Amino acid sequence: MSDHAVNVQRVSKVFNLGKTNEVHAVDNVDLTINNGEFVTLIGPSGCGKSTLLRLIASLVEPTGGSIEVNGKPAEQARLDREYGMAFQKAGLFDWRSVSKNIELPLELMGWSKSERASRAQEMLELVKLPEFGDHHPAELSGGMQQRIAIARSLAFNPSLLLMDEPFGALDEMTREHMQDELLRIWDETDTTVVFVTHSIAEAVYLSSRVVVMSPRPGQISEIIEVGLGDRDTSTREDPEFFKMVTVVREALRSVESQ
Amino acid sequence: MGTHAADIESDNTDQLVVEQLARETAAGSDRRETMAAAVRQVFIFSAFIGLLAVAYTVYKVFGQAIDDAQTDWWAIGSILPRSDDLNMPPVVDILKAFTVTPGGTDKVLGLQLFDEALFTLREAAVGFVAGAIIGLAIAVLLVRSKKLENGLLPYVIASQTVPLIAIAPIVVIWGRKNLDFLPWEWQDWMSVSIIASFLTFFPVAVNGLRGLQSPKPENLELMESYAASWRQTLFQLRFPASVPYLFAAFKIAATASIVGAIVGEISAGVPGGLGRRILSQALVYTTAPARLYAAVIGSALLGIFVFLLIAGTEKFVLGRQGREAVT
Ligand SMILES: Nc1ncnc2c1ncn2[C@@H]1O[C@H](COP(=O)(O)OP(=O)(O)OP(=O)(O)O)[C@@H](O)[C@H]1O
Ligand SMILES: [Mg+2]
């Protein structure tokens, strides 16, 4: 396996190419992400964060440049199920029980029934909802649904996790709790995470590197090394943490005022 | 941490027992509520029928009074139906009609109507199932490709402008002549099923297409991220998502299948069911008007029965999945 979980080279994405409503969503972006890293993408609305993530996921085709995931072309990586994805909306299937939702990717991959069931239970324990397997998604709170979506994205042990504002709809307390859960899972599973967020504090708290993007056209304006070491409950009150928050905020300010 | 999260994460056994109890009690009261709702609906329905009978009688009495007074009020008999016993047999006569034994038999009319309703129900049920399968197949075909949808959907819609009464005899004759290669003997009632299926496939195709297209972009994208095949996406996402839409279609199709079967019987001259009964009572209307009313009431009850059957199944299936019906 290659050292790079993600290797994005001079990638561009133009929507509606040649039409009057042409949008340069991502423009000539280079980004390499090492195995086991936790990288967040941050930037003003419309700067192409989701598009970059979906390019890595091979859910949209680039108009230029090349993308490799685990040393393979992005599309091949998708076909080989190299990554798991969690979106802003949990997107659970409401006709399936919580367990069956987590089992969905395993079913598609042809796992046996008993393997699926035991894996789903493991995942439920990982996201600390062990007794909710038989419930239907509608009976769960938004935060709980989001945890199930994360369990679903992790169920088949992908080496790469792509997350697009997964905690965007959560209240502050649940959000902080989920951040700790995610860091714990990241720690326990040596997954590489690419995480899109609007929250500066979230970006600093979670990641080893923060990628700051600027809009029109969508480009990377700065990459900030966070270097806070292991997070714990005191990290959020640590002066170092606030210093990094300020650094990222200023990077974003200069992007916004362009 | 919020109290809500604390509750959820507590692995305290007492807590779980309490939750379990709360869930069971909730389920019990749910069941009681469903029962109460059913009783309420039956009550409302009976009240509605009763009111209809009262309104019918009041109109009749009123019209009779005008007739008796020899004041020929213009509206009656021109815009409004005449209210004499020939045009509007009294409610009591209609009820009595169910208990008479028409000539040559020893079965009361009510029981005969019941047998005929079963005959028509069989035609309709076969037509309903066939139509639902064809409708679903069309919906899958149309969702498969945008080109097919644009190209074929107008024809699916145009199919419903074909006059059933005109094609019914053709279908019966065609069935007798051309379907003798089948492993079973072709019977005329099966042709009536074909006619019924002509009415049922349409709502299923149209609503089914809507349902198959109902998954949100993020759900389709999720399946794509798993490199799911088109078939996997169909069976794991599109079909389950379309279930509420299909039930909405089935409710329309079920009543339409009864209408199709009755019209089919009448226009193709197939004996044994309610359609033939309505036709034969209409021919002798002047001698026994109440009997035609009885036959029509029997047909209406059959329509209501199949509708309730589907609505009940819908409630059960969607309720088990905690989903809402669509309209
Ligand atoms: N499918 C599409 N078709 C056309 N334009 C698109 C499409 N997807 C995104 N865009 C455009 O590309 C640009 C970048 O969009 P993108 O969703 O990547 O932004 P974002 O950084 O994720 O924004 P937000 O923070 O609001 O989620 C926007 O101008 C958007 O309108
Ligand atoms: Mg976005």
Side-chain angles (χ1 to χ4, degrees):
Chain A
M1 199 204 273
S2 114
D3 290 349
H4 294 148
V6 178
N7 194 352
V8 174
Q9 301 227 321
R10 290 188 310 283
V11 162
S12 300
K13 176 66 194 180
V14 184
F15 286 108
N16 310 319
L17 186 64
K19 295 187 191 143
T20 49
N21 54 350
E22 190 176 281
V23 186
H24 292 257
V26 171
D27 189 57
N28 208 20
V29 162
D30 287 306
L31 178 66
T32 39
I33 297 170
N34 294 323
N35 279 317
E37 253 195 299
F38 198 128
V39 170
T40 48
L41 309 179
I42 196 166
S45 188
C47 70
K49 305 178 294 292
S50 298
T51 307
L52 181 55
L53 201 71
R54 284 149 43 95
L55 281 164
I56 296 170
S58 163
L59 295 173
V60 293
E61 283 274 301
T63 34
S66 74
I67 305 161
E68 286 187 353
V69 173
N70 292 340
K72 305 170 185 177
E75 170 156 32
Q76 192 54 47
R78 174 172 66 83
L79 295 176
D80 293 347
R81 289 145 175 164
E82 300 269 350
Y83 69 82
M85 187 143 187
F87 303 86
Q88 180 166 9
K89 288 181 199 152
L92 302 177
F93 292 0
D94 57 4
W95 54 89
R96 283 174 168 252
S97 71
V98 163
S99 288
K100 289 277 182 279
N101 264 286
I102 298 174
E103 288 179 30
L104 174 70
L106 311 179
E107 232 173 285
L108 298 173
M109 292 172 200
W111 289 36
S112 79
K113 207 178 157 116
S114 62
E115 278 176 318
R116 289 199 314 253
S118 72
R119 185 72 188 159
Q121 194 53 40
E122 249 174 71
M123 287 295 117
L124 282 169
E125 269 150 35
L126 190 69
V127 296
K128 300 243 160 78
L129 293 170
E131 65 271 42
F132 284 87
D134 294 332
H135 285 241
H136 275 279
E139 300 164 351
L140 270 56
S141 73
M144 290 155 86
Q145 291 187 18
Q146 201 58 50
R147 276 194 265 178
I148 300 304
I150 290 168
R152 179 180 62 185
S153 66
L154 286 167
F156 57 100
N157 263 335
S159 61
L160 175 64
L161 190 54
L162 304 175
M163 307 180 91
D164 194 351
E165 298 184 46
F167 308 149
L170 306 184
D171 66 89
E172 197 59 28
M173 291 312 289
T174 316
R175 190 170 177 145
E176 287 190 1
H177 173 67
M178 290 295 294
Q179 291 167 357
D180 288 327
E181 296 278 299
L182 180 60
L183 282 180
R184 179 178 59 80
I185 292 165
W186 175 61
D187 231 30
E188 285 173 11
T189 55
D190 0 277
T191 319
T192 308
V193 183
V194 185
F195 190 101
V196 172
T197 181
H198 271 136
S199 156
I200 299 169
E202 183 167 79
V204 170
Y205 186 70
L206 289 175
S207 47
S208 31
R209 281 195 294 160
V210 178
V211 174
V212 181
M213 295 183 67
S214 61
R216 282 172 297 275
Q219 286 176 327
I220 294 178
S221 68
E222 204 171 327
I223 297 182
I224 298 164
E225 294 277 345
V226 178
L228 279 177
D230 284 349
R231 275 40 165 199
D232 55 39
T233 37
S234 65
T235 308
R236 292 184 206 274
E237 275 120 48
D238 189 341
E240 273 302 305
F241 172 76
F242 287 116
K243 229 178 80 192
M244 287 319 298
V245 167
T246 310
V247 171
V248 175
R249 180 172 294 127
E250 269 159 17
L252 271 172
R253 277 222 184 100
S254 68
V255 161
E256 303 257 23
S257 61
Q258 264 171 21
Chain B
M1 181 180 297
T3 38
H4 187 51
D7 275 357
I8 293 152
E9 274 163 30
S10 157
D11 47 10
N12 181 324
T13 346
D14 286 351
Q15 174 88 36
L16 283 184
V17 169
V18 170
E19 274 179 22
Q20 180 64 29
L21 268 176
R23 231 173 284 144
E24 273 166 18
T25 331
S29 73
D30 266 8
R31 224 167 294 136
R32 235 168 294 129
E33 264 167 41
T34 321
M35 279 293 287
V39 170
R40 201 158 45 231
Q41 267 171 11
V42 168
F43 183 78
I44 291 170
F45 179 72
S46 317
F48 175 74
I49 296 297
L51 259 167
L52 212 61
V54 169
Y56 180 93
T57 309
V58 166
Y59 175 86
K60 200 173 150 53
V61 168
F62 171 71
Q64 217 82 64
I66 290 173
D67 262 6
D68 291 350
Q70 301 273 312
T71 53
D72 208 7
W73 190 39
W74 61 273
I76 294 207
S78 56
I79 298 174
L80 301 171
R82 288 214 149 273
S83 61
D84 55 77
D85 284 0
L86 180 63
N87 284 296
M88 291 180 66
V91 173
V92 194
D93 284 9
I94 296 172
L95 289 177
K96 269 193 200 143
F98 284 98
T99 63
V100 298
T101 40
T105 56
D106 51 4
K107 237 185 193 169
V108 296
L109 183 62
L111 284 177
Q112 287 190 30
L113 283 173
F114 183 77
D115 290 346
E116 287 156 359
L118 285 182
F119 183 88
T120 300
L121 179 62
R122 179 178 59 174
E123 294 166 340
V126 171
F128 174 87
V129 171
I133 292 170
I134 293 165
L136 256 183
I138 290 174
V140 170
L141 206 67
L142 297 189
V143 82
R144 180 77 228 231
S145 111
K146 195 80 205 160
K147 272 202 198 113
L148 276 179
E149 186 189 339
N150 292 336
L152 278 182
L153 198 55
Y155 293 97
V156 172
I157 293 165
S159 74
Q160 297 304 297
T161 62
V162 173
L164 269 198
I165 294 180
I167 62 162
I170 303 176
V171 173
V172 172
I173 293 164
W174 176 81
R176 281 181 198 154
K177 284 209 163 150
N178 297 305
L179 294 179
D180 49 7
F181 61 86
L182 290 169
W184 68 88
E185 197 187 336
W186 189 260
Q187 288 168 339
D188 284 351
W189 69 262
M190 298 173 190
S191 298
V192 176
S193 295
I194 293 181
I195 296 159
S197 75
F198 198 76
L199 286 185
T200 57
F201 92 92
F202 182 70
V204 177
V206 171
N207 252 21
L209 179 61
R210 216 153 63 92
L212 293 175
Q213 289 172 338
S214 70
K216 297 185 200 80
E218 64 257 29
N219 289 345
L220 289 166
E221 222 164 45
L222 182 76
M223 295 302 277
E224 205 185 332
S225 82
Y226 295 140
S229 66
W230 191 83
R231 181 194 286 256
Q232 285 176 321
T233 307
L234 180 68
F235 283 103
Q236 303 297 345
L237 176 58
R238 290 189 190 274
F239 265 139
S242 68
V243 167
Y245 294 84
L246 286 177
F247 270 114
F250 289 162
K251 281 191 280 190
I252 301 168
T255 39
S257 72
I258 300 292
V259 173
I262 288 174
V263 171
E265 280 175 27
I266 292 177
S267 45
V270 173
L274 287 175
R276 166 53 69 89
R277 166 65 66 181
I278 289 171
L279 185 64
S280 57
Q281 291 305 338
L283 291 177
V284 296
Y285 183 76
T286 43
T287 55
R291 292 188 197 169
L292 180 61
Y293 274 75
V296 170
I297 288 171
S299 308
L301 288 178
L302 183 60
I304 292 169
F305 168 73
V306 294
F307 179 86
L308 290 179
L309 197 67
I310 304 282
T313 315
E314 175 186 40
K315 239 194 164 124
F316 175 73
V317 171
L318 296 186
R320 253 180 30 160
Q321 301 180 337
R323 300 168 84 184
E324 301 279 324
V326 299
T327 43

